């Protein structure tokens, strides 16, 4: 029985969900904190190429959109592309693997100061340690371009959303059974962060770019770029309806520490349905 | 004269035994396998091994096939007699790399499409677990039986071992998720005047854990 086989395998994914972010402004001070809900959708189309029995390449294009309830300036439409090369060191489900991933995206925000391209490069190692436990660890470099910020202070750039950073992360997946998967992840990122707040000496002294931020309907709020370290801890509970669809509940807590004793926290909760065609 | 009488008596005894065996017909074993909740259990392999060790395996068992369809092994569980050759046709439009690390048969079919030219000969009894190195969620099982008398349960949890020669058997059951070792399920069954002998098992199962095929939201919640 002969079969016609291609080298490529098509992948079509779509997702839809709701996200709540408790500190969209990334503000250190209580009065400047803004929270909101968003409806978010995404889709991607890609191809997986089995280069050998141990090597695979996945190429994909994707689109994303988000619409916020109170702060429509954060509404966005984005289009991007990604590439993942994966090498498996041996045969079998338990063989370790290494991946290199490149993601690129152009996001267009209703508040144009945020619009621009971004990309990140990741290197990951993954290993299945038992029948139920899978671990991924990696490092990443991210770069975001925000050319639309207008300077408000002479001599200080307005490109608040031109950001760069480096991260290290680890994710542990625990498979309870055929339907339930629990993931726990942690990351630390060092680099540029953005914080929107009212004018203040501490944030002014810590920042190297400042621009108006109209996204929050408050003329007293300004966006600041400053160096910072962000620790993130998250968990996801994923229920698979079958081999093609899942419902995911996500939670992430992030803590950012910046100079001038500026610290801020956020909690992000999401409910996302994912479907693979 | 006495010698002739002894020989004659032995001949009469032999003829009587043959006649007795000829009068005991072949019989069937009907196996019913359920899980611990009493639900019918499919894909359980029931094996009957003659206690006298007389296996009478076929000289050349018929070749068999484990297909790959929609990135799954079809059937997921297959039972064959030792000495069977199995083909692994790939009916997907993507390539697979089939392998097994099982002691009963270690093999690897490097990335391929279509049907490999040569089948794989399974020449040792035991359980062979199949995988695909490209699609980690793919799992299949081949039960290689030392006895020619075996069957696999269907969706109704039943299997029939038909036309067994009339002798005593040790009957066992195996299932990929069974917590009970196969040897511990052993029962003795003897040919009797009944044409059909019923055997039942209720197996305690462990949850099936596979590599996740369904997508999940790996990205963070922030845009």
């Amino acid at each position: 029985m002969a079969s016609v086989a291609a080298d490529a395998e098509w992948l079509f994914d779509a997702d839809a969900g709701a996200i709540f972010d408790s500190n969209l402004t990334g503000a250190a001070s209580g009065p400047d904190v803004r929270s909101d809900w968003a409806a978010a959708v995404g889709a991607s189309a890609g191809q997986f190429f089995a280069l050998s029995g141990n090597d695979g390449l996945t190429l994909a294009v994707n689109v994303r959109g988000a619409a916020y309830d109170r702060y429509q300036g954060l509404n966005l439409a984005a289009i991007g592309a990604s590439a993942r090369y994966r090498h498996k060191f041996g045969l079998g489900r338990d063989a370790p693997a290494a991946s290199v991933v490149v993601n690129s995206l152009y996001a267009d925000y209703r508040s144009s100061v945020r619009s621009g391209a971004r990309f990140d490069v990741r290197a990951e190692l993954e290993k299945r340690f038992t029948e139920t436990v899978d671990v991924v660890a990696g490092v990443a470099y991210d770069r975001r371009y925000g050319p639309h910020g207008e300077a408000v202070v002479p001599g200080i750039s307005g490109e608040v959303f031109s950001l760069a950073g480096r991260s290290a992360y680890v994710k542990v997946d625990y498979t309870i059974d055929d339907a339930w998967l629990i993931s726990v992840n942690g990351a630390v990122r060092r680099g540029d962060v953005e914080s929107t707040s009212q004018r203040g000496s501490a944030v002014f002294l810590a920042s190297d770019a400042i621009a108006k931020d109209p996204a929050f309907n408050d003329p007293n709020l300004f966006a600041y770029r400053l160096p910072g370290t962000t620790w993130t801890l998250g968990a996801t509970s994923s229920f698979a309806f079958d081999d093609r669809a899942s419902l995911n509940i996500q939670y992430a807590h992030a803590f950012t520490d910046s100079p001038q004793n500026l610290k801020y926290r956020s909690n992000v909760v999401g409910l996302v349905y994912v479907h693979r065609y | 004269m006495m010698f002739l009488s002894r020989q004659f008596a032995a001949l009469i005894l032999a003829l009587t035994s043959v006649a007795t065996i000829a009068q005991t017909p072949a019989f069937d074993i009907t196996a019913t396998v359920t899980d611990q909740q009493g639900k019918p259990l499919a894909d359980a392999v029931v094996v009957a091994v003659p206690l006298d060790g007389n296996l009478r395996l076929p000289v050349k068992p018929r070749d068999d096939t484990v297909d790959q369809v929609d990135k799954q092994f079809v059937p997921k569980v297959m039972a064959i007699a030792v000495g069977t050759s199995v083909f692994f046709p790939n009916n997907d439009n993507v390539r697979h790399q089939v392998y097994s690390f099982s002691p009963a048969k270690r093999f690897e079919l490097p990335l391929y499409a279509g049907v490999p030219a040569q089948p794989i000969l399974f020449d040792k009894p035991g359980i062979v677990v199949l995988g695909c190195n490209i699609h980690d969620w793919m799992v299949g099982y081949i039960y290689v039986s030392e006895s020619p008398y075996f069957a696999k349960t269907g969706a109704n949890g039943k299997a029939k071992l038909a036309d067994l020669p009339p002798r005593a058997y040790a009957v066992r059951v195996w299932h990929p998720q069974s917590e009970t070792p196969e040897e511990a399920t052993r029962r003795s069954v003897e040919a009797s005047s009944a044409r059909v002998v019923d055997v039942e098992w209720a197996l305690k199962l462990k949850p099936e854990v596979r590599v996740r095929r369904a997508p999940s939201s790996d990205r963070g919640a922030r845009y």
Side-chain angles (χ1 to χ4, degrees), chain A residues 115-166:
Chain A
S115 297
R118 64 184 80 169
F119 76 89
D120 64 80
V121 181
R122 300 166 180 268
E124 293 181 347
L125 290 173
E126 60 180 287
K127 173 83 175 78
R128 177 168 296 273
F129 286 93
T130 71
E131 204 177 42
T132 54
V133 175
D134 194 30
V135 178
V136 176
V139 293
Y141 172 78
D142 64 87
R143 183 76 171 90
R144 180 175 172 181
Y145 300 90
H148 304 293
E150 290 183 12
V152 293
V153 176
I156 297 180
S157 168
E159 293 187 7
V160 174
F161 290 96
S162 287
L163 309 165
R166 291 163 295 157

Coordinates of all heavy atoms in Angstrom, one line a residue, chain A residues 115-166:
Chain A
S115 N 3.2 51.5 19.0 CA 3.3 50.7 17.8 C 4.8 50.5 17.4 O 5.6 51.4 17.6 CB 2.6 51.4 16.7 OG 1.2 51.5 17.0
G116 N 5.0 49.4 16.8 CA 6.4 49.1 16.3 C 6.6 47.6 16.2 O 5.8 46.8 16.5
A117 N 7.8 47.3 15.7 CA 8.2 45.9 15.5 C 8.9 45.4 16.8 O 9.5 46.2 17.6 CB 9.2 45.8 14.3
R118 N 8.9 44.2 16.9 CA 9.7 43.5 18.0 C 10.1 42.1 17.5 O 9.5 41.5 16.7 CB 8.9 43.5 19.3 CG 7.6 42.6 19.2 CD 6.8 42.7 20.4 NE 6.0 43.8 20.5 CZ 5.0 44.0 21.4 NH1 4.8 43.1 22.3 NH2 4.3 45.1 21.4
F119 N 11.2 41.7 18.2 CA 11.6 40.3 17.9 C 12.2 39.7 19.2 O 12.7 40.5 20.1 CB 12.5 40.2 16.7 CG 13.9 40.6 16.9 CD1 14.9 39.7 17.4 CD2 14.3 41.9 16.7 CE1 16.2 40.1 17.6 CE2 15.6 42.3 16.9 CZ 16.5 41.4 17.4
D120 N 12.3 38.4 19.2 CA 13.1 37.8 20.3 C 13.7 36.5 19.8 O 13.2 35.9 18.8 CB 12.2 37.5 21.6 CG 11.1 36.5 21.3 OD1 11.4 35.3 21.3 OD2 10.0 36.9 21.2
V121 N 14.8 36.2 20.3 CA 15.6 35.0 19.9 C 15.8 34.2 21.2 O 16.1 34.7 22.3 CB 17.0 35.3 19.4 CG1 17.7 34.1 19.0 CG2 16.9 36.3 18.2
R122 N 15.5 32.9 21.1 CA 15.5 32.0 22.3 C 16.4 30.8 22.0 O 16.3 30.3 20.9 CB 14.1 31.5 22.7 CG 13.2 32.6 23.0 CD 11.7 32.1 23.0 NE 10.9 33.3 23.4 CZ 10.6 33.6 24.6 NH1 10.9 32.8 25.6 NH2 9.9 34.7 24.9
A123 N 17.0 30.3 23.0 CA 17.7 29.0 22.9 C 17.2 28.2 24.1 O 17.2 28.6 25.2 CB 19.2 29.2 23.0
E124 N 16.7 27.0 23.8 CA 16.0 26.2 24.8 C 16.6 24.8 24.8 O 17.0 24.2 23.8 CB 14.5 26.1 24.5 CG 13.8 27.3 24.7 CD 12.3 27.2 24.4 OE1 11.9 26.1 23.9 OE2 11.5 28.1 24.7
L125 N 16.5 24.2 26.0 CA 16.8 22.8 26.2 C 15.6 22.2 26.8 O 15.0 22.8 27.7 CB 18.0 22.5 27.2 CG 19.4 22.9 26.6 CD1 20.4 22.8 27.7 CD2 19.8 22.0 25.5
E126 N 15.2 21.0 26.4 CA 14.0 20.3 27.0 C 14.4 18.9 27.2 O 15.1 18.2 26.5 CB 12.8 20.5 26.1 CG 12.9 19.9 24.7 CD 11.7 20.0 23.9 OE1 10.7 19.3 24.2 OE2 11.7 20.8 23.0
K127 N 13.7 18.3 28.3 CA 14.0 16.9 28.7 C 12.7 16.4 29.4 O 12.2 17.1 30.3 CB 15.2 16.8 29.6 CG 15.5 15.4 30.1 CD 16.2 14.6 29.2 CE 16.6 13.2 29.8 NZ 15.5 12.3 29.8
R128 N 12.3 15.2 29.0 CA 11.3 14.5 29.7 C 11.9 13.6 30.7 O 12.7 12.8 30.4 CB 10.5 13.7 28.7 CG 9.4 12.8 29.3 CD 8.5 12.3 28.2 NE 7.8 13.4 27.5 CZ 6.6 13.9 27.9 NH1 6.0 13.5 28.9 NH2 6.1 15.0 27.3
F129 N 11.6 13.9 32.0 CA 12.3 13.2 33.0 C 11.6 11.9 33.5 O 12.2 10.9 33.9 CB 12.6 14.1 34.3 CG 13.7 15.1 34.0 CD1 13.4 16.3 33.5 CD2 15.0 14.7 34.2 CE1 14.4 17.2 33.3 CE2 16.0 15.6 33.9 CZ 15.7 16.9 33.5
T130 N 10.3 12.0 33.4 CA 9.5 10.8 33.8 C 8.3 10.8 32.7 O 8.2 11.6 31.9 CB 8.9 10.8 35.2 OG1 7.9 11.9 35.2 CG2 10.0 11.2 36.2
E131 N 7.5 9.8 32.9 CA 6.3 9.7 32.0 C 5.4 10.9 32.1 O 4.7 11.3 31.2 CB 5.5 8.5 32.5 CG 4.6 7.9 31.4 CD 3.9 6.6 32.0 OE1 3.5 6.6 33.1 OE2 3.9 5.6 31.2
T132 N 5.5 11.7 33.3 CA 4.6 12.8 33.5 C 5.3 14.1 33.6 O 4.6 15.1 33.6 CB 3.8 12.5 34.8 OG1 4.7 12.3 35.9 CG2 2.9 11.3 34.7
V133 N 6.6 14.2 33.7 CA 7.2 15.5 34.0 C 8.2 15.8 32.8 O 9.1 15.1 32.4 CB 8.1 15.4 35.3 CG1 8.8 16.7 35.5 CG2 7.1 15.2 36.5
D134 N 8.0 17.0 32.3 CA 8.7 17.5 31.1 C 9.3 18.9 31.5 O 8.5 19.7 32.1 CB 7.8 17.7 30.0 CG 8.5 17.8 28.7 OD1 9.7 17.3 28.5 OD2 8.0 18.5 27.8
V135 N 10.6 19.2 31.3 CA 11.2 20.5 31.7 C 11.8 21.2 30.5 O 12.5 20.5 29.7 CB 12.3 20.3 32.8 CG1 12.9 21.6 33.2 CG2 11.7 19.6 34.0
V136 N 11.5 22.5 30.4 CA 12.2 23.3 29.4 C 12.9 24.4 30.1 O 12.3 25.1 31.0 CB 11.1 23.9 28.4 CG1 11.8 24.8 27.4 CG2 10.3 22.8 27.7
A137 N 14.1 24.7 29.7 CA 14.9 25.8 30.2 C 15.5 26.6 29.1 O 15.9 25.9 28.1 CB 15.9 25.3 31.2
G138 N 15.5 27.9 29.2 CA 16.1 28.6 28.1 C 16.5 30.0 28.4 O 16.3 30.5 29.6
V139 N 17.2 30.6 27.5 CA 17.6 32.0 27.6 C 17.0 32.8 26.3 O 16.8 32.1 25.3 CB 19.1 32.2 27.7 CG1 19.6 31.6 29.0 CG2 19.8 31.5 26.5
A140 N 16.8 34.1 26.5 CA 16.2 34.8 25.4 C 16.8 36.2 25.4 O 17.2 36.8 26.4 CB 14.7 34.8 25.5
Y141 N 16.8 36.8 24.2 CA 17.1 38.2 24.0 C 15.9 38.8 23.3 O 15.4 38.2 22.3 CB 18.3 38.4 23.1 CG 18.6 39.8 22.7 CD1 19.1 40.7 23.6 CD2 18.2 40.3 21.5 CE1 19.3 42.1 23.3 CE2 18.4 41.6 21.1 CZ 18.9 42.5 22.0 OH 19.1 43.8 21.7
D142 N 15.3 39.9 23.8 CA 14.2 40.5 23.2 C 14.5 42.0 22.8 O 15.3 42.6 23.5 CB 13.0 40.4 24.1 CG 13.1 41.2 25.4 OD1 12.8 42.4 25.4 OD2 13.6 40.6 26.4
R143 N 13.9 42.4 21.7 CA 14.2 43.8 21.3 C 12.9 44.3 20.7 O 12.2 43.7 19.9 CB 15.2 43.8 20.2 CG 15.6 45.1 19.7 CD 16.5 45.9 20.6 NE 17.1 47.1 20.1 CZ 16.5 48.3 20.1 NH1 15.4 48.4 20.8 NH2 17.1 49.3 19.6
R144 N 12.5 45.5 21.2 CA 11.3 46.1 20.7 C 11.6 47.5 20.2 O 12.4 48.2 20.8 CB 10.3 46.2 21.9 CG 9.0 46.8 21.5 CD 8.0 46.7 22.7 NE 6.8 47.5 22.4 CZ 5.7 47.6 23.2 NH1 5.8 47.0 24.4 NH2 4.7 48.3 22.9
Y145 N 11.0 47.9 19.1 CA 11.3 49.2 18.5 C 10.0 50.1 18.7 O 8.9 49.7 18.3 CB 11.6 49.1 17.0 CG 12.9 48.2 16.8 CD1 12.8 46.9 16.6 CD2 14.1 48.8 16.8 CE1 13.9 46.1 16.4 CE2 15.3 48.1 16.6 CZ 15.2 46.7 16.5 OH 16.3 45.9 16.3
G146 N 10.2 51.2 19.2 CA 9.1 52.2 19.4 C 9.4 53.5 18.9 O 9.7 54.5 19.7
P147 N 9.4 53.7 17.6 CA 9.9 54.9 17.0 C 9.0 56.1 17.1 O 9.3 57.2 16.7 CB 10.2 54.6 15.5 CG 9.2 53.5 15.3 CD 9.0 52.7 16.5
H148 N 7.7 55.9 17.6 CA 6.7 56.9 17.5 C 6.6 57.8 18.7 O 5.8 58.7 18.8 CB 5.3 56.3 17.2 CG 5.4 55.4 16.0 ND1 5.5 55.9 14.7 CD2 5.3 54.1 15.9 CE1 5.5 54.9 13.9 NE2 5.4 53.8 14.5
G149 N 7.4 57.6 19.7 CA 7.3 58.4 20.9 C 7.9 59.8 20.6 O 9.0 59.9 20.1
E150 N 7.2 60.8 21.1 CA 7.7 62.2 20.9 C 8.4 62.7 22.2 O 7.8 62.6 23.2 CB 6.6 63.1 20.5 CG 6.1 62.9 19.0 CD 5.0 63.8 18.6 OE1 4.8 64.9 19.3 OE2 4.4 63.6 17.6
A151 N 9.5 63.2 22.0 CA 10.2 63.7 23.2 C 9.5 64.9 23.9 O 8.9 65.7 23.2 CB 11.6 64.2 22.8
V152 N 9.4 64.9 25.2 CA 8.7 65.9 25.9 C 9.7 66.7 26.8 O 9.4 67.8 27.3 CB 7.6 65.4 26.8 CG1 6.5 64.8 25.9 CG2 8.1 64.3 27.7
V153 N 10.9 66.2 26.9 CA 12.0 66.8 27.6 C 13.2 67.0 26.7 O 13.7 66.0 26.2 CB 12.4 66.0 28.9 CG1 13.5 66.7 29.6 CG2 11.2 65.8 29.8
P154 N 13.6 68.2 26.5 CA 14.8 68.4 25.6 C 16.0 67.6 26.1 O 16.3 67.5 27.2 CB 15.1 69.9 25.7 CG 13.8 70.5 26.2 CD 13.1 69.5 27.0
G155 N 16.6 66.9 25.1 CA 17.7 66.1 25.4 C 17.4 64.7 25.9 O 18.4 63.9 26.0
I156 N 16.2 64.4 26.1 CA 15.8 63.1 26.5 C 14.9 62.4 25.4 O 13.9 63.0 25.0 CB 15.1 63.1 27.8 CG1 16.0 63.6 28.9 CG2 14.6 61.6 28.2 CD1 15.4 63.6 30.3
S157 N 15.3 61.3 25.0 CA 14.6 60.6 23.9 C 13.1 60.4 24.3 O 12.8 60.2 25.4 CB 15.2 59.2 23.6 OG 14.4 58.4 22.8
G158 N 12.3 60.4 23.2 CA 10.9 60.0 23.4 C 10.5 58.6 23.1 O 9.4 58.1 23.2
E159 N 11.5 57.8 22.7 CA 11.3 56.4 22.2 C 11.2 55.5 23.4 O 12.0 54.6 23.6 CB 12.4 56.0 21.2 CG 12.3 56.8 19.9 CD 13.2 56.3 18.8 OE1 13.9 55.2 19.1 OE2 13.3 56.9 17.8
V160 N 10.2 55.7 24.2 CA 10.0 55.0 25.4 C 9.8 53.5 25.2 O 10.3 52.6 26.0 CB 8.8 55.5 26.2 CG1 8.5 54.7 27.4 CG2 9.0 56.9 26.5
F161 N 9.2 53.2 24.1 CA 8.9 51.7 23.8 C 10.0 51.1 22.9 O 9.7 50.0 22.3 CB 7.5 51.6 23.2 CG 6.4 51.9 24.2 CD1 5.8 53.1 24.3 CD2 6.0 50.9 25.1 CE1 4.9 53.4 25.3 CE2 5.1 51.2 26.1 CZ 4.5 52.4 26.1
S162 N 11.1 51.7 22.8 CA 12.3 51.0 22.3 C 13.0 50.3 23.4 O 13.7 51.0 24.2 CB 13.2 52.0 21.5 OG 12.6 52.4 20.3
L163 N 12.8 49.0 23.5 CA 13.3 48.3 24.7 C 14.1 47.1 24.3 O 13.9 46.5 23.2 CB 12.0 47.8 25.5 CG 11.0 48.8 25.8 CD1 9.7 48.1 26.2 CD2 11.4 49.7 26.9
A164 N 15.0 46.7 25.2 CA 15.8 45.5 25.0 C 16.0 44.8 26.3 O 16.1 45.5 27.3 CB 17.2 45.8 24.3
G165 N 16.1 43.5 26.2 CA 16.3 42.8 27.5 C 16.8 41.4 27.3 O 16.7 40.8 26.1
R166 N 17.3 40.8 28.3 CA 17.7 39.4 28.3 C 17.0 38.6 29.4 O 16.8 39.2 30.5 CB 19.2 39.3 28.5 CG 20.0 39.8 27.3 CD 21.5 40.1 27.7 NE 21.5 41.1 28.7 CZ 22.5 41.3 29.6 NH1 23.5 40.5 29.6 NH2 22.5 42.3 30.4

